[in-house]
Amino acid sequence: MKLSQKLLCTAAATLLHGTTSLMAADPSPSEIVNKAYLYIGSMDKYAFDAVVTNDDVQDGKNVIFTHRVSVKVDRPDKLRVDTKGDIKDRSSYINDGLFTMIDHGFGYYGQLKTDKGIDGTLDTIFEKYGIKAPLAQLIYSDMDKRVRFSKRKNFGTVTLGDTECDYLAFSDRAKEVHVWIAKGDKPLVKRYIIIDKMTKGHPRSVTTLKWKSGSGISDSDFVFKAPKDASKISIQSAN
């Protein structure tokens, strides 16, 4: 993260947790983020690319991992996520009730029959199998009903690149989230930062997004074809 961005985030965190008398501007942070999630949930077909940077502490040293993620969504039952970077080279597919995940580095893939629909499939792989899907909060159609935070702040309008955004912060016991949402009739999330408050050193994840239309998406994008040298393995329940 650039120094200026980190300073901005740190200053916002101080305001979020302090006893400042700063008043949130109308509309409220919850209204703004709910509007964004409702807008995303209303889109039938869309895609976006993301750059995700995670920092961690290993053997007393700060380590940074970067991944590039490509997401394609065709509601109600088609999803593709490709993740490639420092420690992951993985693709996941949802296609009409069939979930497939392949690790390109190891050459292993697994498949599961799940509930039809993206939302139901994500719930199943999270809750039953403990599988995480990158950027799921920008994929669910009903994320506005799932987000709950005990503290929230609106820090006003900031310019991110060439886009005017509402800068918001949310916090609960486990994590703190800073999010930048484009103003106007297309309230898309442009960047967010998640700070882990439960882990020593408070590691953070920074995600920057580039949204695309769904015009270039085809049904073939969601059809998994196993490479000749790939091996199929079973996926065990985490429960």
Side-chain angles (χ1 to χ4, degrees):
M1 190 191 324
K2 293 181 181 179
L3 179 60
S4 59
Q5 296 169 359
K6 194 161 188 176
L7 288 174
L8 179 61
C9 183
T10 302
T14 302
L15 289 172
L16 184 65
H17 294 289
T19 57
T20 176
S21 61
L22 178 66
M23 298 298 291
D26 289 331
S28 71
S30 295
E31 289 171 332
I32 295 171
V33 77
N34 282 347
K35 180 181 177 182
Y37 283 136
L38 283 169
Y39 180 77
I40 293 169
S42 72
M43 295 191 296
D44 291 329
K45 185 182 290 190
Y46 63 96
F48 61 85
D49 293 331
V51 177
V52 183
T53 300
N54 296 282
D55 61 39
D56 198 357
V57 179
Q58 296 184 358
D59 299 325
K61 296 181 180 179
N62 290 327
V63 182
I64 297 176
F65 302 106
T66 300
H67 292 84
R68 297 185 180 276
V69 185
S70 172
V71 176
K72 295 179 180 179
V73 178
D74 189 357
R75 301 192 197 281
D77 55 15
K78 292 181 174 62
L79 169 69
R80 178 170 175 172
V81 181
D82 297 292
T83 304
K84 187 176 181 64
D86 292 332
I87 58 176
K88 291 181 182 178
D89 186 2
R90 186 177 298 168
S91 296
S92 298
Y93 301 76
I94 296 173
N95 193 347
D96 194 25
L98 179 65
F99 170 75
T100 305
M101 183 171 64
I102 180 169
D103 189 302
H104 300 286
F106 290 101
Y108 296 132
Y109 72 95
Q111 293 182 308
L112 294 168
K113 285 286 188 179
T114 65
D115 296 331
K116 290 185 178 181
I118 295 171
D119 292 359
T121 299
L122 291 179
D123 284 342
T124 298
I125 65 173
F126 290 163
E127 297 167 7
K128 186 174 181 180
Y129 296 95
I131 298 172
K132 295 181 179 180
L135 307 166
Q137 66 271 33
L138 303 177
I139 298 170
Y140 275 111
S141 65
D142 61 349
M143 197 64 197
D144 60 298
K145 299 180 178 66
R146 297 172 182 261
V147 179
R148 296 291 183 270
F149 286 97
S150 57
K151 296 180 181 179
R152 54 194 66 84
K153 281 287 184 181
N154 182 350
F155 295 102
T157 301
V158 300
T159 301
L160 195 64
D162 58 357
T163 304
E164 284 196 341
C165 297
D166 288 303
Y167 174 25
L168 314 171
F170 301 85
S171 179
D172 58 20
R173 186 179 65 87
K175 62 181 176 292
E176 183 172 303
V177 178
H178 297 255
V179 59
W180 288 258
I181 298 175
K183 297 179 76 69
D185 58 355
K186 295 182 179 180
L188 293 169
V189 177
K190 305 295 287 186
R191 176 181 290 157
Y192 61 90
I193 299 173
I194 301 175
I195 302 170
D196 182 353
K197 295 164 60 177
M198 305 297 288
T199 302
K200 184 179 179 180
H202 294 174
R204 65 183 62 204
S205 172
V206 182
T207 300
T208 302
L209 297 136
K210 181 179 180 181
W211 293 83
K212 302 177 179 179
S213 71
S215 58
I217 296 176
S218 65
D219 287 345
S220 62
D221 291 331
F222 308 98
V223 177
F224 172 73
K225 295 180 180 179
K228 291 182 179 180
D229 56 350
S231 300
K232 187 175 183 179
I233 61 174
S234 61
I235 300 177
Q236 301 297 322
S237 172
N239 299 331

